[in-house]
PDB file of all heavy atoms in Angstrom:
ATOM      1  N   LEU A  47     115.265 114.509 116.155  1.00 75.00           N
ATOM      2  CA  LEU A  47     114.657 113.458 115.331  1.00 75.00           C
ATOM      3  C   LEU A  47     114.852 112.087 115.977  1.00 75.00           C
ATOM      4  O   LEU A  47     113.957 111.253 115.971  1.00 75.00           O
ATOM      5  CB  LEU A  47     115.317 113.462 113.952  1.00 75.00           C
ATOM      6  CG  LEU A  47     114.559 114.130 112.811  1.00 75.00           C
ATOM      7  CD1 LEU A  47     115.394 114.053 111.542  1.00 75.00           C
ATOM      8  CD2 LEU A  47     113.214 113.466 112.578  1.00 75.00           C
ATOM      9  N   ARG A  48     116.050 111.891 116.533  1.00 74.00           N
ATOM     10  CA  ARG A  48     116.346 110.598 117.169  1.00 74.00           C
ATOM     11  C   ARG A  48     115.421 110.358 118.360  1.00 74.00           C
ATOM     12  O   ARG A  48     114.911 109.253 118.560  1.00 74.00           O
ATOM     13  CB  ARG A  48     117.812 110.574 117.616  1.00 74.00           C
ATOM     14  CG  ARG A  48     118.774 110.376 116.458  1.00 74.00           C
ATOM     15  CD  ARG A  48     120.202 110.652 116.841  1.00 74.00           C
ATOM     16  NE  ARG A  48     121.129 110.172 115.820  1.00 74.00           N
ATOM     17  CZ  ARG A  48     122.408 110.500 115.769  1.00 74.00           C
ATOM     18  NH1 ARG A  48     122.928 111.354 116.669  1.00 74.00           N
ATOM     19  NH2 ARG A  48     123.174 110.009 114.820  1.00 74.00           N
ATOM     20  N   ARG A  49     115.205 111.407 119.169  1.00 67.00           N
ATOM     21  CA  ARG A  49     114.294 111.278 120.319  1.00 67.00           C
ATOM     22  C   ARG A  49     112.870 111.020 119.834  1.00 67.00           C
ATOM     23  O   ARG A  49     112.152 110.186 120.373  1.00 67.00           O
ATOM     24  CB  ARG A  49     114.333 112.550 121.165  1.00 67.00           C
ATOM     25  CG  ARG A  49     115.526 112.658 122.095  1.00 67.00           C
ATOM     26  CD  ARG A  49     115.303 113.708 123.154  1.00 67.00           C
ATOM     27  NE  ARG A  49     115.178 115.038 122.584  1.00 67.00           N
ATOM     28  CZ  ARG A  49     116.211 115.838 122.290  1.00 67.00           C
ATOM     29  NH1 ARG A  49     117.453 115.418 122.489  1.00 67.00           N
ATOM     30  NH2 ARG A  49     116.009 117.030 121.786  1.00 67.00           N
ATOM     31  N   LEU A  50     112.513 111.745 118.793  1.00 69.00           N
ATOM     32  CA  LEU A  50     111.149 111.650 118.272  1.00 69.00           C
ATOM     33  C   LEU A  50     110.850 110.245 117.765  1.00 69.00           C
ATOM     34  O   LEU A  50     109.782 109.687 118.007  1.00 69.00           O
ATOM     35  CB  LEU A  50     110.992 112.667 117.135  1.00 69.00           C
ATOM     36  CG  LEU A  50     109.611 112.855 116.533  1.00 69.00           C
ATOM     37  CD1 LEU A  50     108.708 113.539 117.550  1.00 69.00           C
ATOM     38  CD2 LEU A  50     109.698 113.699 115.279  1.00 69.00           C
ATOM     39  N   LEU A  51     111.813 109.664 117.068  1.00 72.00           N
ATOM     40  CA  LEU A  51     111.578 108.383 116.397  1.00 72.00           C
ATOM     41  C   LEU A  51     112.194 107.210 117.151  1.00 72.00           C
ATOM     42  O   LEU A  51     112.058 106.065 116.733  1.00 72.00           O
ATOM     43  CB  LEU A  51     112.144 108.436 114.967  1.00 72.00           C
ATOM     44  CG  LEU A  51     111.498 109.512 114.095  1.00 72.00           C
ATOM     45  CD1 LEU A  51     112.249 109.698 112.784  1.00 72.00           C
ATOM     46  CD2 LEU A  51     110.041 109.147 113.795  1.00 72.00           C
ATOM     47  N   ASP A  52     112.905 107.559 118.261  1.00 68.00           N
ATOM     48  CA  ASP A  52     113.476 106.510 119.100  1.00 68.00           C
ATOM     49  C   ASP A  52     114.386 105.576 118.295  1.00 68.00           C
ATOM     50  O   ASP A  52     114.294 104.357 118.398  1.00 68.00           O
ATOM     51  CB  ASP A  52     112.338 105.717 119.776  1.00 68.00           C
ATOM     52  CG  ASP A  52     112.851 104.890 120.949  1.00 68.00           C
ATOM     53  OD1 ASP A  52     113.900 105.272 121.514  1.00 68.00           O
ATOM     54  OD2 ASP A  52     112.221 103.870 121.287  1.00 68.00           O
ATOM     55  N   ASP A  53     115.220 106.201 117.471  1.00 71.00           N
ATOM     56  CA  ASP A  53     116.145 105.419 116.641  1.00 71.00           C
ATOM     57  C   ASP A  53     117.326 106.317 116.289  1.00 71.00           C
ATOM     58  O   ASP A  53     117.143 107.524 116.080  1.00 71.00           O
ATOM     59  CB  ASP A  53     115.438 104.963 115.349  1.00 71.00           C
ATOM     60  CG  ASP A  53     116.303 104.005 114.534  1.00 71.00           C
ATOM     61  OD1 ASP A  53     117.108 104.468 113.696  1.00 71.00           O
ATOM     62  OD2 ASP A  53     116.179 102.777 114.748  1.00 71.00           O
ATOM     63  N   PRO A  54     118.540 105.761 116.208  1.00 71.00           N
ATOM     64  CA  PRO A  54     119.707 106.605 115.862  1.00 71.00           C
ATOM     65  C   PRO A  54     119.618 107.202 114.447  1.00 71.00           C
ATOM     66  O   PRO A  54     120.262 108.218 114.161  1.00 71.00           O
ATOM     67  CB  PRO A  54     120.897 105.654 115.943  1.00 71.00           C
ATOM     68  CG  PRO A  54     120.405 104.386 116.512  1.00 71.00           C
ATOM     69  CD  PRO A  54     118.905 104.384 116.518  1.00 71.00           C
ATOM     70  N   LEU A  55     118.875 106.559 113.564  1.00 77.00           N
ATOM     71  CA  LEU A  55     118.638 107.019 112.177  1.00 77.00           C
ATOM     72  C   LEU A  55     119.889 107.010 111.308  1.00 77.00           C
ATOM     73  O   LEU A  55     119.892 106.463 110.216  1.00 77.00           O
ATOM     74  CB  LEU A  55     117.996 108.411 112.152  1.00 77.00           C
ATOM     75  CG  LEU A  55     116.612 108.467 112.786  1.00 77.00           C
ATOM     76  CD1 LEU A  55     116.122 109.919 112.844  1.00 77.00           C
ATOM     77  CD2 LEU A  55     115.615 107.605 112.037  1.00 77.00           C
ATOM     78  N   PHE A  56     120.980 107.645 111.787  1.00 75.00           N
ATOM     79  CA  PHE A  56     122.249 107.639 111.047  1.00 75.00           C
ATOM     80  C   PHE A  56     123.368 107.347 112.042  1.00 75.00           C
ATOM     81  O   PHE A  56     123.371 107.906 113.125  1.00 75.00           O
ATOM     82  CB  PHE A  56     122.506 108.980 110.354  1.00 75.00           C
ATOM     83  CG  PHE A  56     121.474 109.345 109.341  1.00 75.00           C
ATOM     84  CD1 PHE A  56     120.394 110.143 109.690  1.00 75.00           C
ATOM     85  CD2 PHE A  56     121.553 108.872 108.033  1.00 75.00           C
ATOM     86  CE1 PHE A  56     119.419 110.474 108.762  1.00 75.00           C
ATOM     87  CE2 PHE A  56     120.580 109.195 107.100  1.00 75.00           C
ATOM     88  CZ  PHE A  56     119.519 109.998 107.467  1.00 75.00           C
ATOM     89  N   VAL A  57     124.275 106.473 111.631  1.00 69.00           N
ATOM     90  CA  VAL A  57     125.400 106.147 112.512  1.00 69.00           C
ATOM     91  C   VAL A  57     126.711 106.488 111.809  1.00 69.00           C
ATOM     92  O   VAL A  57     126.823 106.399 110.583  1.00 69.00           O
ATOM     93  CB  VAL A  57     125.399 104.645 112.908  1.00 69.00           C
ATOM     94  CG1 VAL A  57     124.221 104.352 113.802  1.00 69.00           C
ATOM     95  CG2 VAL A  57     125.363 103.765 111.677  1.00 69.00           C
ATOM     96  N   ARG A  58     127.656 106.897 112.598  1.00 64.00           N
ATOM     97  CA  ARG A  58     128.954 107.291 112.020  1.00 64.00           C
ATOM     98  C   ARG A  58     129.717 106.068 111.557  1.00 64.00           C
ATOM     99  O   ARG A  58     129.875 105.107 112.291  1.00 64.00           O
ATOM    100  CB  ARG A  58     129.782 108.028 113.071  1.00 64.00           C
ATOM    101  CG  ARG A  58     129.419 109.464 113.195  1.00 64.00           C
ATOM    102  CD  ARG A  58     130.205 110.104 114.305  1.00 64.00           C
ATOM    103  NE  ARG A  58     131.592 110.317 113.942  1.00 64.00           N
ATOM    104  CZ  ARG A  58     132.439 110.975 114.706  1.00 64.00           C
ATOM    105  NH1 ARG A  58     132.033 111.459 115.868  1.00 64.00           N
ATOM    106  NH2 ARG A  58     133.669 111.156 114.322  1.00 64.00           N
ATOM    107  N   THR A  59     130.227 106.125 110.364  1.00 60.00           N
ATOM    108  CA  THR A  59     131.092 105.072 109.838  1.00 60.00           C
ATOM    109  C   THR A  59     132.240 105.765 109.104  1.00 60.00           C
ATOM    110  O   THR A  59     132.153 106.974 108.831  1.00 60.00           O
ATOM    111  CB  THR A  59     130.348 104.160 108.833  1.00 60.00           C
ATOM    112  OG1 THR A  59     130.139 104.901 107.619  1.00 60.00           O
ATOM    113  CG2 THR A  59     129.011 103.692 109.374  1.00 60.00           C
ATOM    114  N   PRO A  60     133.295 105.032 108.791  1.00 57.00           N
ATOM    115  CA  PRO A  60     134.392 105.649 108.025  1.00 57.00           C
ATOM    116  C   PRO A  60     133.906 106.226 106.700  1.00 57.00           C
ATOM    117  O   PRO A  60     134.509 107.140 106.152  1.00 57.00           O
ATOM    118  CB  PRO A  60     135.357 104.487 107.796  1.00 57.00           C
ATOM    119  CG  PRO A  60     135.086 103.554 108.917  1.00 57.00           C
ATOM    120  CD  PRO A  60     133.625 103.668 109.203  1.00 57.00           C
ATOM    121  N   ALA A  61     132.799 105.687 106.184  1.00 58.00           N
ATOM    122  CA  ALA A  61     132.281 106.170 104.893  1.00 58.00           C
ATOM    123  C   ALA A  61     131.310 107.331 105.052  1.00 58.00           C
ATOM    124  O   ALA A  61     130.750 107.793 104.076  1.00 58.00           O
ATOM    125  CB  ALA A  61     131.590 105.015 104.159  1.00 58.00           C
ATOM    126  N   GLY A  62     131.092 107.780 106.295  1.00 63.00           N
ATOM    127  CA  GLY A  62     130.139 108.872 106.507  1.00 63.00           C
ATOM    128  C   GLY A  62     128.985 108.431 107.392  1.00 63.00           C
ATOM    129  O   GLY A  62     129.072 107.399 108.064  1.00 63.00           O
ATOM    130  N   MET A  63     127.926 109.218 107.401  1.00 72.00           N
ATOM    131  CA  MET A  63     126.752 108.900 108.220  1.00 72.00           C
ATOM    132  C   MET A  63     125.867 107.915 107.453  1.00 72.00           C
ATOM    133  O   MET A  63     125.205 108.283 106.478  1.00 72.00           O
ATOM    134  CB  MET A  63     125.968 110.184 108.546  1.00 72.00           C
ATOM    135  CG  MET A  63     126.751 111.179 109.362  1.00 72.00           C
ATOM    136  SD  MET A  63     127.135 110.565 111.013  1.00 72.00           S
ATOM    137  CE  MET A  63     125.622 110.939 111.878  1.00 72.00           C
ATOM    138  N   GLU A  64     125.871 106.645 107.925  1.00 72.00           N
ATOM    139  CA  GLU A  64     125.115 105.607 107.226  1.00 72.00           C
ATOM    140  C   GLU A  64     123.723 105.483 107.844  1.00 72.00           C
ATOM    141  O   GLU A  64     123.570 105.471 109.061  1.00 72.00           O
ATOM    142  CB  GLU A  64     125.846 104.258 107.346  1.00 72.00           C
ATOM    143  CG  GLU A  64     127.185 104.223 106.627  1.00 72.00           C
ATOM    144  CD  GLU A  64     127.026 103.938 105.143  1.00 72.00           C
ATOM    145  OE1 GLU A  64     125.907 103.627 104.714  1.00 72.00           O
ATOM    146  OE2 GLU A  64     128.038 104.045 104.417  1.00 72.00           O
ATOM    147  N   PRO A  65     122.670 105.356 107.006  1.00 76.00           N
ATOM    148  CA  PRO A  65     121.309 105.232 107.544  1.00 76.00           C
ATOM    149  C   PRO A  65     121.084 103.880 108.209  1.00 76.00           C
ATOM    150  O   PRO A  65     121.635 102.862 107.765  1.00 76.00           O
ATOM    151  CB  PRO A  65     120.431 105.384 106.296  1.00 76.00           C
ATOM    152  CG  PRO A  65     121.305 105.039 105.150  1.00 76.00           C
ATOM    153  CD  PRO A  65     122.713 105.408 105.546  1.00 76.00           C
ATOM    154  N   THR A  66     120.274 103.882 109.269  1.00 76.00           N
ATOM    155  CA  THR A  66     119.878 102.631 109.916  1.00 76.00           C
ATOM    156  C   THR A  66     118.716 102.023 109.126  1.00 76.00           C
ATOM    157  O   THR A  66     118.193 102.640 108.193  1.00 76.00           O
ATOM    158  CB  THR A  66     119.407 102.887 111.351  1.00 76.00           C
ATOM    159  OG1 THR A  66     118.224 103.707 111.287  1.00 76.00           O
ATOM    160  CG2 THR A  66     120.480 103.587 112.170  1.00 76.00           C
TER     161      THR A  66
END
Side-chain angles (χ1 to χ4, degrees):
Chain A
L47 259 179
R48 284 167 167 167
R49 281 196 296 275
L50 186 70
L51 299 170
D52 196 25
D53 187 272
L55 297 174
F56 299 94
V57 292
R58 278 176 74 173
T59 72
M63 297 295 277
E64 294 278 352
T66 64

